[in-house]
Amino acid sequence: MRNKLRRPLAFLLSAVMIVTMSGTPVHAVADRGQPETGLCEHHAAHTDDCGYTEETPGTPCGHEHTEDCYTEVTECVHEHTPECYPEETEDSVSDNEATPANAEEREPENCPHICDGESGCITEKLDCRHEHKVNGGEADREGGLRRDSECGYTESTPGTPCTYVCEICNPQDSGEADEKPETGIIKQEQCSCLTLCTEGQINPDCPVCGAEDAGLSDCKGKAEKEDTKQPEDTGICKHHQEHDDACGYQPESEDSEGSPCTYECRICPIEDLIAALPEEVTADNADGVRAQLDQILALFSELTGEEQEQIDLSRCYALQEALDEAAAPAAAADVASVTIDGQTTNYTNIHDAWRACSGPDLVATLTLLQDVDLGADSLSMMGGKVEGRLTFRGGSHKLTSYNEYGTIRTSKDFFTLESGTIENTHSDSCGVEVLGVCDFMMTGGSVSGYRGYTSRMAGSP
Protein backbone atom coordinates (compact mmCIF):
# COMPACT_ATOMS: atom_id res chain seq x y z
CA MET A 1 0.00 0.00 0.00
CA ARG A 2 2.81 2.41 0.92
CA ASN A 3 4.66 1.76 -2.37
CA LYS A 4 1.53 2.44 -4.39
CA LEU A 5 1.21 5.96 -2.91
CA ARG A 6 4.82 7.01 -3.51
CA ARG A 7 4.58 7.50 -7.30
CA PRO A 8 1.48 9.80 -7.32
CA LEU A 9 2.92 11.86 -4.50
CA ALA A 10 6.18 12.31 -6.47
CA PHE A 11 4.28 13.57 -9.54
CA LEU A 12 2.29 16.00 -7.39
CA LEU A 13 5.41 17.37 -5.74
CA SER A 14 7.09 17.95 -9.14
CA ALA A 15 4.06 19.83 -10.46
CA VAL A 16 3.99 22.11 -7.42
CA MET A 17 7.70 22.94 -7.82
CA ILE A 18 7.31 23.78 -11.54
CA VAL A 19 4.34 26.10 -10.91
CA THR A 20 5.94 27.92 -8.01
CA MET A 21 9.36 28.48 -9.70
CA SER A 22 9.91 32.15 -10.57
CA GLY A 23 11.51 33.02 -13.91
CA THR A 24 15.09 34.11 -13.77
CA PRO A 25 15.79 36.92 -16.28
CA VAL A 26 18.74 36.20 -18.57
CA HIS A 27 20.31 38.94 -20.67
CA ALA A 28 22.27 38.00 -23.76
CA VAL A 29 25.31 40.09 -24.36
CA ALA A 30 26.94 40.00 -27.73
CA ASP A 31 30.58 39.04 -27.63
CA ARG A 32 31.89 41.93 -29.71
CA GLY A 33 35.44 41.80 -28.65
CA GLN A 34 38.20 40.13 -26.68
CA PRO A 35 39.06 42.47 -23.83
CA GLU A 36 42.08 40.44 -22.81
CA THR A 37 43.73 40.88 -26.23
CA GLY A 38 42.15 44.13 -27.43
CA LEU A 39 40.97 42.49 -30.66
CA CYS A 40 37.50 42.98 -32.09
CA GLU A 41 35.85 43.11 -35.49
CA HIS A 42 37.09 46.69 -35.93
CA HIS A 43 40.61 45.91 -34.74
CA ALA A 44 41.12 42.43 -36.10
CA ALA A 45 44.92 42.46 -35.91
CA HIS A 46 47.46 44.26 -33.77
CA THR A 47 49.53 47.08 -35.28
CA ASP A 48 52.52 49.15 -34.25
CA ASP A 49 50.16 51.88 -33.06
CA CYS A 50 48.37 49.69 -30.50
CA GLY A 51 51.68 48.58 -28.96
CA TYR A 52 50.70 44.96 -28.37
CA THR A 53 53.51 42.43 -28.11
CA GLU A 54 53.28 38.79 -27.17
CA GLU A 55 55.11 37.30 -24.26
CA THR A 56 58.25 35.50 -25.35
CA PRO A 57 58.70 32.26 -23.41
CA GLY A 58 62.11 31.47 -22.06
CA THR A 59 64.17 28.35 -22.57
CA PRO A 60 64.54 25.96 -19.61
CA CYS A 61 67.96 25.17 -18.24
CA GLY A 62 69.46 22.07 -19.79
CA HIS A 63 72.05 21.57 -17.06
CA GLU A 64 72.25 18.00 -15.78
CA HIS A 65 73.28 17.56 -12.14
CA THR A 66 76.51 15.72 -11.37
CA GLU A 67 78.04 14.44 -8.11
CA ASP A 68 79.42 17.90 -7.47
CA CYS A 69 75.88 19.23 -7.27
CA TYR A 70 75.04 17.21 -4.13
CA THR A 71 76.23 17.25 -0.49
CA GLU A 72 75.85 14.53 2.17
CA VAL A 73 73.36 15.21 4.95
CA THR A 74 73.23 12.95 8.02
CA GLU A 75 69.98 12.92 9.94
CA CYS A 76 69.16 9.82 11.97
CA VAL A 77 65.68 8.56 11.42
CA HIS A 78 65.98 5.61 13.84
CA GLU A 79 63.58 5.49 16.75
CA HIS A 80 64.84 3.56 19.76
CA THR A 81 63.02 0.51 20.88
CA PRO A 82 63.19 -1.25 24.31
CA GLU A 83 65.90 -3.46 22.93
CA CYS A 84 68.13 -0.39 22.58
CA TYR A 85 68.18 0.11 26.38
CA PRO A 86 69.91 -2.04 29.02
CA GLU A 87 67.73 -4.33 31.10
CA GLU A 88 66.66 -3.05 34.50
CA THR A 89 68.30 -4.69 37.55
CA GLU A 90 67.69 -4.49 41.23
CA ASP A 91 70.58 -2.12 41.59
CA SER A 92 69.26 0.15 38.92
CA VAL A 93 65.76 0.31 40.34
CA SER A 94 65.21 1.85 43.76
CA ASP A 95 62.56 0.88 46.18
CA ASN A 96 60.62 3.80 44.99
CA GLU A 97 58.42 3.44 41.95
CA ALA A 98 60.01 4.32 38.62
CA THR A 99 59.13 7.73 37.25
CA PRO A 100 59.10 8.99 33.66
CA ALA A 101 62.09 11.15 34.48
CA ASN A 102 64.06 8.07 35.47
CA ALA A 103 63.12 6.37 32.22
CA GLU A 104 64.29 9.32 30.15
CA GLU A 105 67.68 9.34 31.88
CA ARG A 106 68.51 5.90 30.57
CA GLU A 107 70.92 5.74 27.62
CA PRO A 108 70.34 3.44 24.64
CA GLU A 109 73.53 1.60 25.34
CA ASN A 110 72.47 -1.51 23.49
CA CYS A 111 71.17 0.21 20.27
CA PRO A 112 72.41 -1.81 17.26
CA HIS A 113 71.43 0.87 14.72
CA ILE A 114 74.12 2.30 12.42
CA CYS A 115 73.49 5.50 10.48
CA ASP A 116 74.30 4.88 6.79
CA GLY A 117 72.75 5.22 3.35
CA GLU A 118 70.85 1.95 3.61
CA SER A 119 69.15 2.96 6.83
CA GLY A 120 68.15 6.28 5.28
CA CYS A 121 69.99 8.37 7.82
CA ILE A 122 72.59 9.62 5.33
CA THR A 123 71.15 11.24 2.19
CA GLU A 124 72.33 13.48 -0.61
CA LYS A 125 70.90 16.95 -0.69
CA LEU A 126 70.94 19.00 -3.89
CA ASP A 127 73.32 21.92 -3.52
CA CYS A 128 73.94 22.83 -7.21
CA ARG A 129 76.15 25.87 -7.74
CA HIS A 130 75.41 26.06 -11.50
CA GLU A 131 74.70 29.59 -12.79
CA HIS A 132 72.90 30.40 -16.02
CA LYS A 133 75.27 33.33 -16.60
CA VAL A 134 72.63 35.59 -18.12
CA ASN A 135 72.58 39.39 -18.04
CA GLY A 136 76.21 40.06 -17.22
CA GLY A 137 77.41 36.52 -16.63
CA GLU A 138 80.67 35.12 -17.88
CA ALA A 139 79.20 33.55 -21.04
CA ASP A 140 77.33 36.74 -21.79
CA ARG A 141 80.51 38.82 -21.63
CA GLU A 142 82.61 36.41 -23.66
CA GLY A 143 80.19 35.23 -26.31
CA GLY A 144 77.50 37.88 -26.28
CA LEU A 145 74.87 35.13 -26.54
CA ARG A 146 72.99 36.15 -23.39
CA ARG A 147 72.98 32.51 -22.32
CA ASP A 148 75.28 29.75 -21.16
CA SER A 149 76.29 27.64 -24.14
CA GLU A 150 76.03 24.53 -21.94
CA CYS A 151 72.60 24.85 -20.37
CA GLY A 152 70.81 26.93 -23.03
CA TYR A 153 68.77 28.89 -20.50
CA THR A 154 67.06 32.11 -21.61
CA GLU A 155 64.75 34.36 -19.68
CA SER A 156 61.19 34.95 -20.77
CA THR A 157 60.19 38.40 -22.00
CA PRO A 158 56.87 39.74 -20.78
CA GLY A 159 54.53 41.09 -23.43
CA THR A 160 52.77 44.45 -23.54
CA PRO A 161 48.99 44.84 -23.60
CA CYS A 162 47.05 46.30 -26.53
CA THR A 163 46.23 49.97 -25.98
CA TYR A 164 43.63 50.15 -28.72
CA VAL A 165 40.22 51.20 -27.45
CA CYS A 166 37.40 50.51 -29.87
CA GLU A 167 34.93 53.36 -29.77
CA ILE A 168 32.32 51.20 -31.47
CA CYS A 169 32.46 48.14 -29.21
CA ASN A 170 33.05 50.30 -26.13
CA PRO A 171 31.14 53.57 -26.73
CA GLN A 172 31.85 56.37 -24.31
CA ASP A 173 29.07 58.64 -23.10
CA SER A 174 29.52 62.15 -24.49
CA GLY A 175 26.56 63.76 -22.81
CA GLU A 176 24.87 64.29 -26.18
CA ALA A 177 23.17 60.91 -26.34
CA ASP A 178 19.44 60.43 -26.22
CA GLU A 179 18.06 58.64 -23.18
CA LYS A 180 15.01 56.40 -23.32
CA PRO A 181 13.21 56.83 -19.97
CA GLU A 182 11.32 53.59 -20.29
CA THR A 183 14.47 51.47 -20.42
CA GLY A 184 17.13 53.73 -18.98
CA ILE A 185 19.43 52.78 -21.84
CA ILE A 186 21.54 55.53 -23.40
CA LYS A 187 21.69 55.37 -27.18
CA GLN A 188 24.94 56.70 -28.61
CA GLU A 189 25.32 57.06 -32.37
CA GLN A 190 28.66 55.51 -33.35
CA CYS A 191 30.36 55.03 -36.69
CA SER A 192 29.98 51.42 -37.79
CA CYS A 193 32.21 51.59 -40.88
CA LEU A 194 34.87 48.94 -41.27
CA THR A 195 36.33 50.67 -44.34
CA LEU A 196 37.19 54.37 -44.36
CA CYS A 197 34.62 56.40 -46.28
CA THR A 198 35.92 58.51 -49.16
CA GLU A 199 34.41 61.04 -51.53
CA GLY A 200 31.85 59.15 -53.60
CA GLN A 201 32.23 56.00 -51.46
CA ILE A 202 30.13 56.63 -48.31
CA ASN A 203 28.50 53.89 -46.27
CA PRO A 204 24.76 54.75 -46.28
CA ASP A 205 24.02 52.20 -43.51
CA CYS A 206 26.33 53.92 -41.02
CA PRO A 207 24.34 56.08 -38.57
CA VAL A 208 27.16 58.66 -38.56
CA CYS A 209 28.52 58.72 -42.11
CA GLY A 210 25.11 58.06 -43.68
CA ALA A 211 23.54 61.01 -41.91
CA GLU A 212 22.75 64.19 -43.82
CA ASP A 213 25.64 66.71 -43.95
CA ALA A 214 27.99 64.17 -42.34
CA GLY A 215 31.71 64.91 -42.61
CA LEU A 216 34.27 62.39 -43.78
CA SER A 217 36.43 63.24 -40.78
CA ASP A 218 33.89 61.51 -38.49
CA CYS A 219 34.42 58.14 -40.15
CA LYS A 220 36.20 55.60 -37.95
CA GLY A 221 36.77 53.01 -40.68
CA LYS A 222 40.23 51.88 -41.73
CA ALA A 223 41.79 52.81 -45.04
CA GLU A 224 42.13 49.91 -47.40
CA LYS A 225 45.69 48.73 -47.69
CA GLU A 226 47.09 48.18 -51.10
CA ASP A 227 47.70 44.55 -51.86
CA THR A 228 51.46 44.45 -52.28
CA LYS A 229 51.60 40.70 -52.55
CA GLN A 230 53.13 39.76 -55.83
CA PRO A 231 51.12 37.29 -57.91
CA GLU A 232 52.65 33.91 -58.34
CA ASP A 233 54.75 33.69 -61.47
CA THR A 234 53.58 30.43 -63.00
CA GLY A 235 55.47 30.86 -66.28
CA ILE A 236 52.26 30.54 -68.30
CA CYS A 237 51.96 32.64 -71.48
CA LYS A 238 50.30 32.25 -74.88
CA HIS A 239 53.36 30.39 -76.12
CA HIS A 240 53.41 28.04 -73.08
CA GLN A 241 49.75 27.63 -72.18
CA GLU A 242 50.10 24.66 -69.87
CA HIS A 243 52.85 23.05 -67.84
CA ASP A 244 54.53 19.85 -68.89
CA ASP A 245 57.24 17.53 -67.63
CA ALA A 246 59.92 19.61 -69.32
CA CYS A 247 59.14 22.81 -67.38
CA GLY A 248 58.99 21.02 -64.00
CA TYR A 249 56.24 23.16 -62.47
CA GLN A 250 54.51 21.81 -59.35
CA PRO A 251 51.86 23.87 -57.49
CA GLU A 252 52.22 24.60 -53.80
CA SER A 253 50.26 22.29 -51.50
CA GLU A 254 49.91 21.52 -47.80
CA ASP A 255 52.56 18.84 -48.04
CA SER A 256 54.91 20.51 -50.51
CA GLU A 257 56.24 23.97 -51.30
CA GLY A 258 55.96 23.17 -55.00
CA SER A 259 58.51 23.97 -57.68
CA PRO A 260 58.58 26.90 -60.14
CA CYS A 261 58.18 26.64 -63.88
CA THR A 262 61.58 26.65 -65.58
CA TYR A 263 60.22 27.51 -69.04
CA GLU A 264 61.64 30.78 -70.35
CA CYS A 265 59.67 32.24 -73.24
CA ARG A 266 61.92 33.84 -75.84
CA ILE A 267 59.03 35.18 -77.91
CA CYS A 268 57.20 37.30 -75.30
CA PRO A 269 60.17 39.67 -74.66
CA ILE A 270 60.41 40.41 -78.39
CA GLU A 271 56.67 41.02 -78.67
CA ASP A 272 56.86 43.38 -75.70
CA LEU A 273 59.64 45.35 -77.41
CA ILE A 274 57.61 45.55 -80.63
CA ALA A 275 54.54 46.75 -78.69
CA ALA A 276 56.66 49.51 -77.13
CA LEU A 277 57.73 50.91 -80.52
CA PRO A 278 56.33 54.35 -81.42
CA GLU A 279 53.76 54.82 -84.16
CA GLU A 280 56.09 56.92 -86.33
CA VAL A 281 59.68 58.05 -86.63
CA THR A 282 60.52 61.66 -85.77
CA ALA A 283 63.73 63.60 -85.50
CA ASP A 284 63.54 63.31 -81.70
CA ASN A 285 63.00 59.54 -81.45
CA ALA A 286 64.94 58.30 -84.50
CA ASP A 287 68.00 57.21 -82.49
CA GLY A 288 65.87 55.44 -79.87
CA VAL A 289 63.81 53.62 -82.52
CA ARG A 290 66.97 52.50 -84.29
CA ALA A 291 68.34 51.08 -80.99
CA GLN A 292 65.05 49.26 -80.29
CA LEU A 293 65.02 47.73 -83.76
CA ASP A 294 68.62 46.57 -83.35
CA GLN A 295 67.72 44.92 -80.04
CA ILE A 296 64.67 43.22 -81.57
CA LEU A 297 66.74 41.98 -84.52
CA ALA A 298 69.41 40.57 -82.18
CA LEU A 299 66.86 38.63 -80.13
CA PHE A 300 64.97 37.52 -83.25
CA SER A 301 68.12 36.05 -84.76
CA GLU A 302 68.52 33.74 -81.73
CA LEU A 303 65.11 32.09 -82.27
CA THR A 304 64.45 28.88 -84.11
CA GLY A 305 62.62 28.98 -87.42
CA GLU A 306 59.42 27.78 -85.75
CA GLU A 307 59.65 30.53 -83.13
CA GLN A 308 60.37 33.22 -85.74
CA GLU A 309 57.18 32.32 -87.61
CA GLN A 310 55.15 33.30 -84.53
CA ILE A 311 56.37 36.93 -84.52
CA ASP A 312 54.85 39.70 -86.67
CA LEU A 313 57.64 42.08 -87.75
CA SER A 314 55.48 44.30 -89.98
CA ARG A 315 55.80 47.28 -87.61
CA CYS A 316 59.56 46.84 -87.51
CA TYR A 317 59.75 46.82 -91.32
CA ALA A 318 57.64 49.99 -91.58
CA LEU A 319 59.73 51.87 -89.03
CA GLN A 320 62.99 50.67 -90.58
CA GLU A 321 61.82 51.96 -93.97
CA ALA A 322 61.00 55.32 -92.41
CA LEU A 323 64.47 55.43 -90.85
CA ASP A 324 66.09 54.63 -94.20
CA GLU A 325 64.14 57.37 -95.94
CA ALA A 326 65.10 59.88 -93.27
CA ALA A 327 68.76 58.90 -93.59
CA ALA A 328 68.80 59.02 -97.40
CA PRO A 329 70.23 62.19 -98.94
CA ALA A 330 67.67 64.69 -100.14
CA ALA A 331 66.78 64.32 -103.79
CA ALA A 332 68.38 66.91 -106.06
CA ALA A 333 66.05 69.68 -107.11
CA ASP A 334 65.02 69.96 -110.74
CA VAL A 335 66.94 72.70 -112.62
CA ALA A 336 65.23 72.58 -116.01
CA SER A 337 62.47 70.94 -118.02
CA VAL A 338 62.29 69.98 -121.69
CA THR A 339 59.05 69.87 -123.64
CA ILE A 340 58.95 67.92 -126.92
CA ASP A 341 55.69 67.16 -128.73
CA GLY A 342 53.70 68.25 -125.68
CA GLN A 343 55.57 65.89 -123.31
CA THR A 344 57.49 67.64 -120.50
CA THR A 345 60.37 66.02 -118.64
CA ASN A 346 62.17 67.52 -115.64
CA TYR A 347 65.94 67.24 -115.21
CA THR A 348 68.18 67.74 -112.23
CA ASN A 349 71.22 68.27 -114.46
CA ILE A 350 71.26 71.11 -117.01
CA HIS A 351 73.57 69.20 -119.38
CA ASP A 352 71.10 66.27 -119.49
CA ALA A 353 68.31 68.69 -120.39
CA TRP A 354 70.46 70.31 -123.14
CA ARG A 355 71.31 66.95 -124.67
CA ALA A 356 67.62 66.05 -124.77
CA CYS A 357 67.08 69.13 -126.98
CA SER A 358 70.00 68.44 -129.31
CA GLY A 359 68.60 65.63 -131.41
CA PRO A 360 67.93 66.23 -135.13
CA ASP A 361 64.53 67.38 -136.38
CA LEU A 362 63.33 68.22 -132.86
CA VAL A 363 61.07 71.10 -131.91
CA ALA A 364 61.95 71.55 -128.28
CA THR A 365 61.52 74.08 -125.48
CA LEU A 366 64.03 74.30 -122.62
CA THR A 367 62.72 76.01 -119.47
CA LEU A 368 64.92 77.04 -116.53
CA LEU A 369 63.44 76.19 -113.13
CA GLN A 370 66.18 77.94 -111.14
CA ASP A 371 69.37 79.95 -111.63
CA VAL A 372 72.15 77.86 -113.16
CA ASP A 373 75.89 78.59 -113.01
CA LEU A 374 77.86 76.53 -115.54
CA GLY A 375 81.24 77.70 -114.30
CA ALA A 376 83.77 77.18 -117.15
CA ASP A 377 81.41 74.88 -119.05
CA SER A 378 78.99 75.81 -121.83
CA LEU A 379 75.86 74.33 -123.40
CA SER A 380 77.18 73.37 -126.81
CA MET A 381 75.81 71.69 -129.94
CA MET A 382 79.01 71.11 -131.88
CA GLY A 383 79.08 69.93 -135.49
CA GLY A 384 77.14 70.75 -138.61
CA LYS A 385 73.67 72.00 -139.11
CA VAL A 386 70.96 70.44 -136.96
CA GLU A 387 67.40 70.51 -138.20
CA GLY A 388 64.75 71.69 -135.83
CA ARG A 389 63.84 74.49 -133.50
CA LEU A 390 64.96 75.31 -129.92
CA THR A 391 63.18 77.80 -127.70
CA PHE A 392 64.85 78.95 -124.46
CA ARG A 393 62.61 80.17 -121.62
CA GLY A 394 64.55 81.41 -118.61
CA GLY A 395 61.70 83.24 -116.92
CA SER A 396 63.16 85.17 -113.98
CA HIS A 397 66.20 82.90 -113.84
CA LYS A 398 69.74 83.38 -115.16
CA LEU A 399 72.09 81.06 -117.02
CA THR A 400 75.70 82.06 -116.28
CA SER A 401 79.13 80.89 -117.53
CA TYR A 402 82.66 82.14 -118.00
CA ASN A 403 83.49 79.83 -120.93
CA GLU A 404 85.86 81.55 -123.36
CA TYR A 405 83.68 80.70 -126.38
CA GLY A 406 80.22 81.41 -125.05
CA THR A 407 77.58 80.37 -122.59
CA ILE A 408 75.39 78.73 -125.26
CA ARG A 409 76.77 77.39 -128.54
CA THR A 410 74.01 76.18 -130.84
CA SER A 411 73.70 74.91 -134.42
CA LYS A 412 69.92 74.54 -134.59
CA ASP A 413 68.06 75.94 -137.59
CA PHE A 414 66.15 78.20 -135.27
CA PHE A 415 67.13 79.27 -131.74
CA THR A 416 64.72 81.61 -129.97
CA LEU A 417 65.20 83.34 -126.59
CA GLU A 418 61.81 84.09 -125.09
CA SER A 419 62.75 85.06 -121.50
CA GLY A 420 65.46 84.94 -118.89
CA THR A 421 69.06 86.02 -118.90
CA ILE A 422 72.00 84.38 -120.67
CA GLU A 423 75.24 85.79 -119.27
CA ASN A 424 78.97 85.26 -119.87
CA THR A 425 81.55 86.82 -117.55
CA HIS A 426 84.68 85.93 -119.56
CA SER A 427 86.79 88.88 -120.64
CA ASP A 428 86.67 87.85 -124.32
CA SER A 429 83.50 85.87 -124.91
CA CYS A 430 79.77 86.23 -125.58
CA GLY A 431 76.48 85.04 -124.25
CA VAL A 432 75.35 83.05 -127.30
CA GLU A 433 77.62 81.68 -130.03
CA VAL A 434 75.90 80.59 -133.19
CA LEU A 435 77.49 77.60 -134.93
CA GLY A 436 77.02 77.31 -138.69
CA VAL A 437 73.89 78.60 -140.36
CA CYS A 438 71.46 79.36 -137.54
CA ASP A 439 68.62 81.80 -137.26
CA PHE A 440 68.82 83.37 -133.79
CA MET A 441 65.85 85.37 -132.52
CA MET A 442 65.16 87.18 -129.27
CA THR A 443 61.52 87.74 -128.39
CA GLY A 444 62.35 88.52 -124.81
CA GLY A 445 65.01 88.18 -122.15
CA SER A 446 68.57 89.42 -122.41
CA VAL A 447 72.05 88.29 -123.45
CA SER A 448 75.24 89.82 -122.09
CA GLY A 449 78.93 89.26 -122.72
CA TYR A 450 82.20 91.03 -123.36
CA ARG A 451 81.73 90.67 -127.11
CA GLY A 452 78.09 91.45 -127.02
CA TYR A 453 75.04 89.39 -127.60
CA THR A 454 76.17 86.86 -130.09
CA SER A 455 78.99 85.94 -132.38
CA ARG A 456 79.19 83.72 -135.42
CA MET A 457 81.81 81.15 -136.00
CA ALA A 458 84.41 82.08 -138.62
CA GLY A 459 83.26 81.12 -142.09
CA SER A 460 79.59 81.28 -141.18
CA PRO A 461 77.42 83.40 -143.43
Side-chain angles (χ1 to χ4, degrees):
M1 182 70 178
R2 183 176 301 174
N3 291 335
K4 292 181 179 180
L5 292 176
R6 285 182 179 178
R7 181 169 295 177
L9 289 175
F11 280 117
L12 179 62
L13 178 60
S14 299
V16 172
M17 293 178 64
I18 292 173
V19 172
T20 58
M21 286 180 63
S22 60
T24 303
V26 178
H27 300 280
V29 179
D31 182 13
R32 305 185 64 183
Q34 303 178 30
E36 62 275 6
T37 63
L39 294 179
C40 66
E41 60 180 329
H42 311 102
H43 182 62
H46 296 295
T47 62
D48 295 338
D49 296 334
C50 75
Y52 176 83
T53 59
E54 293 186 355
E55 179 182 359
T56 303
T59 305
C61 177
H63 170 72
E64 295 183 359
H65 297 301
T66 62
E67 295 180 356
D68 297 334
C69 299
Y70 296 90
T71 58
E72 281 192 359
V73 177
T74 301
E75 184 176 354
C76 185
V77 297
H78 172 70
E79 294 183 0
H80 294 298
T81 61
E83 289 78 9
C84 297
Y85 296 93
E87 294 181 0
E88 294 184 358
T89 61
E90 293 180 358
D91 295 336
S92 60
V93 179
S94 62
D95 295 337
N96 299 330
E97 295 182 357
T99 63
N102 292 333
E104 292 176 358
E105 291 178 357
R106 290 188 302 164
E107 295 294 334
E109 298 176 356
N110 299 332
C111 180
H113 172 74
I114 299 175
C115 290
D116 54 18
E118 294 181 359
S119 63
C121 297
I122 299 178
T123 60
E124 290 185 343
K125 181 180 180 182
L126 182 64
D127 186 21
C128 182
R129 302 302 178 89
H130 168 73
E131 295 181 359
H132 301 305
K133 301 179 181 177
V134 176
N135 295 333
E138 180 180 354
D140 187 24
R141 290 193 300 272
E142 293 180 356
L145 300 177
R146 294 186 58 81
R147 63 180 185 177
D148 191 332
S149 60
E150 294 181 358
C151 72
Y153 172 82
T154 57
E155 294 180 345
S156 61
T157 302
T160 56
C162 176
T163 60
Y164 175 81
V165 178
C166 183
E167 298 181 0
I168 300 175
C169 296
N170 303 287
Q172 302 295 325
D173 295 340
S174 61
E176 300 177 359
D178 298 331
E179 181 176 350
K180 294 184 178 180
E182 62 274 12
T183 62
I185 299 176
I186 297 176
K187 182 180 180 181
Q188 175 79 26
E189 297 293 352
Q190 296 290 338
C191 176
S192 61
C193 296
L194 299 179
T195 303
L196 183 67
C197 291
T198 58
E199 197 70 36
Q201 294 290 335
I202 297 177
N203 180 12
D205 299 329
C206 175
V208 175
C209 301
E212 186 177 359
D213 299 330
L216 295 177
S217 59
D218 297 330
C219 183
K220 303 300 183 183
K222 300 298 182 182
E224 292 184 348
K225 294 183 178 180
E226 182 180 357
D227 185 10
T228 58
K229 183 179 180 181
Q230 298 295 327
E232 181 184 5
D233 184 9
T234 61
I236 292 295
C237 67
K238 65 180 181 179
H239 311 105
H240 181 65
Q241 297 184 1
E242 59 182 20
H243 299 293
D244 50 30
D245 294 339
C247 75
Y249 174 81
Q250 292 294 332
E252 182 179 353
S253 64
E254 295 181 357
D255 302 329
S256 172
E257 295 181 356
S259 58
C261 176
T262 59
Y263 173 81
E264 293 185 6
C265 183
R266 302 195 299 173
I267 302 176
C268 284
I270 299 178
E271 292 181 337
D272 292 341
L273 290 174
I274 294 176
L277 289 170
E279 294 296 329
E280 60 181 8
V281 176
T282 64
D284 295 333
N285 69 6
D287 292 340
V289 172
R290 187 175 291 104
Q292 285 179 272
L293 292 178
D294 290 343
Q295 184 179 3
I296 292 172
L297 178 61
L299 294 175
F300 184 81
S301 63
E302 297 176 357
L303 302 180
T304 64
E306 182 179 353
E307 290 173 327
Q308 290 179 351
E309 292 177 356
Q310 302 180 55
I311 298 179
D312 181 10
L313 294 178
S314 58
R315 288 191 64 195
C316 299
Y317 295 145
L319 292 174
Q320 185 62 57
E321 184 177 351
L323 286 173
D324 293 341
E325 291 178 358
D334 297 330
V335 297
S337 66
V338 175
T339 303
I340 300 175
D341 296 333
Q343 184 70 33
T344 301
T345 305
N346 291 348
Y347 294 89
T348 60
N349 188 293
I350 190 62
H351 295 285
D352 293 338
W354 185 259
R355 279 190 290 271
C357 301
S358 302
D361 301 325
L362 290 179
V363 178
T365 300
L366 187 149
T367 303
L368 285 183
L369 302 178
Q370 59 178 287
D371 293 339
V372 177
D373 188 349
L374 298 174
D377 292 336
S378 66
L379 300 180
S380 176
M381 295 180 186
M382 302 298 293
K385 180 179 178 180
V386 179
E387 300 292 336
R389 294 175 179 271
L390 174 60
T391 301
F392 184 92
R393 294 175 180 173
S396 62
H397 302 297
K398 179 190 296 186
L399 179 65
T400 304
S401 170
Y402 58 89
N403 183 270
E404 59 180 324
Y405 299 108
T407 302
I408 290 181
R409 305 174 73 194
T410 179
S411 58
K412 279 283 187 181
D413 277 351
F414 297 94
F415 179 76
T416 303
L417 174 62
E418 286 190 356
S419 63
T421 300
I422 300 175
E423 180 184 60
N424 190 290
T425 59
H426 193 275
S427 61
D428 187 20
S429 186
C430 61
V432 176
E433 182 181 27
V434 177
L435 306 175
V437 180
C438 178
D439 191 358
F440 173 62
M441 296 178 58
M442 288 182 57
T443 60
S446 62
V447 178
S448 64
Y450 180 79
R451 290 193 281 118
Y453 289 90
T454 62
S455 65
R456 288 187 180 272
M457 197 174 177
S460 298

